[in-house]
Amino acid sequence: MRAKSLTLAAAGLALLASTAPAAAARPSSGAPGAPVLRQEGSVLAADLLSRVRDCTQVSTGRYRTDAGAPATIPVCGTEEAVFWTADMDIDCDGRPSPQCNSGTDPLFSDATAYTQSDGRYLNAATLPYIVVPGASGIWDHRAHGVRGGAVAAVVYQGRVQYAVVGDTGPTGIIGEASYATAEALGIRPDPRGGGTPSGVTYIVFKDSRATPVESHASAVEVGDRLARQFVQGAGAGAGAGGAPARPSARPEAEGEAREIVDAEIGEGGEGD
């Protein structure tokens, strides 16, 4: 929940996608000597990007990636999801940690717009989450089935990382995610100058939810199921907890259709 223009380092590794089992992680190959990053879930980044190649704009205007930048980023939508491609600034807000505190981040806030199941604010250093713009005349995320705990697939340089909607930001800026999201994607997570200036695609599945919001395992399970339906063009139409409203185009893998119990997620002030 902050408005700042970051000097971004163009970081990240070119990765080869792998076909890992749903809700599982396997090493993916990269440059010799590079850190081992892991493919999350069973859906290839290329398949997700192919599905969002065409944009039907659902925002009434466009967003800036940073203060002072031109407003060029639309929010696009399908029946199943909303998506945009932008930069990634680093959100270190929420519960203090060795990585995220007032010493490591001069604009640190100890609050996030959404809370976890016990009422505490989220931990940006350990929980992969993304930031959506505060509701405004440009776009109101709530009107498109996007609320705290909604599940997102974040795609960067051949890799898919699942995350939840965990915070809101300025009403005119888009492209931000938690320290943990950046780190998992091989993006420099330093809140002072990390992130990447372009090439990150955020796909948020409408009316989905990780239960509880702080469970990354739930985000992976729900996200991978909905991502498979999304790339098949089956119209996931997920309800609370990610349960599909109608069948997928192909049978679900054994054990993947268990119901996620719906839970209310506390929403704080959005600074709209």
Side-chain angles (χ1 to χ4, degrees):
M1 291 189 295
R2 54 189 177 178
K4 75 177 177 181
S5 178
L6 298 175
T7 301
L8 298 172
L13 302 171
L15 304 174
L16 298 175
S18 63
T19 54
R26 293 176 54 189
S28 59
S29 52
V36 176
L37 299 178
R38 296 178 180 273
Q39 167 70 28
E40 193 163 66
S42 64
V43 179
L44 299 178
D47 291 336
L48 281 167
L49 293 179
S50 178
R51 185 74 168 85
V52 299
R53 185 171 47 220
D54 299 323
C55 175
T56 298
Q57 185 169 329
V58 296
S59 57
T60 59
R62 299 191 174 206
Y63 286 96
R64 306 175 190 276
T65 55
D66 293 292
T72 59
I73 309 297
V75 175
C76 310
T78 68
E79 181 182 350
E80 309 94 342
V82 293
F83 56 91
W84 57 92
T85 298
D87 65 340
M88 182 183 286
D89 293 339
I90 307 303
D91 189 328
C92 234
D93 295 340
R95 298 212 312 275
S97 66
Q99 299 87 353
C100 295
N101 55 67
S102 58
T104 62
D105 181 2
L107 296 180
F108 175 75
S109 168
D110 62 2
T112 49
Y114 305 107
T115 59
Q116 58 184 41
S117 58
D118 61 3
R120 293 188 297 169
Y121 292 116
L122 305 181
N123 187 331
T126 60
L127 180 67
Y129 70 73
I130 70 168
V131 180
V132 296
S136 72
I138 300 175
W139 181 57
D140 184 347
H141 55 277
R142 300 167 300 188
H144 293 263
V146 176
R147 293 182 177 271
V151 178
V154 187
V155 184
Y156 179 71
Q157 292 196 353
R159 183 152 188 255
V160 178
Q161 170 71 21
Y162 292 104
V164 295
V165 172
D167 205 355
T168 58
T171 57
I173 294 176
I174 204 166
E176 190 174 1
S178 69
Y179 183 107
T181 306
E183 184 176 48
L185 287 168
I187 295 170
R188 184 177 171 223
D190 182 2
R192 289 181 180 268
T196 188
S198 62
V200 183
T201 298
Y202 305 78
I203 304 169
V204 187
F205 301 109
K206 295 179 179 180
D207 299 313
S208 62
R209 179 171 292 170
T211 306
V213 64
E214 65 270 22
S215 172
H216 184 58
S218 176
V220 174
E221 180 184 21
V222 172
D224 192 61
R225 182 192 315 132
L226 298 183
R228 281 185 284 110
Q229 294 173 339
F230 184 61
V231 300
Q232 292 161 9
R246 58 176 181 268
S248 171
R250 67 180 185 182
E252 295 291 347
E254 183 177 4
E256 291 177 351
R258 75 174 181 84
E259 180 180 358
I260 305 293
V261 179
D262 189 12
E264 290 299 325
I265 295 175
E267 301 192 7
E270 296 189 338
D272 298 350

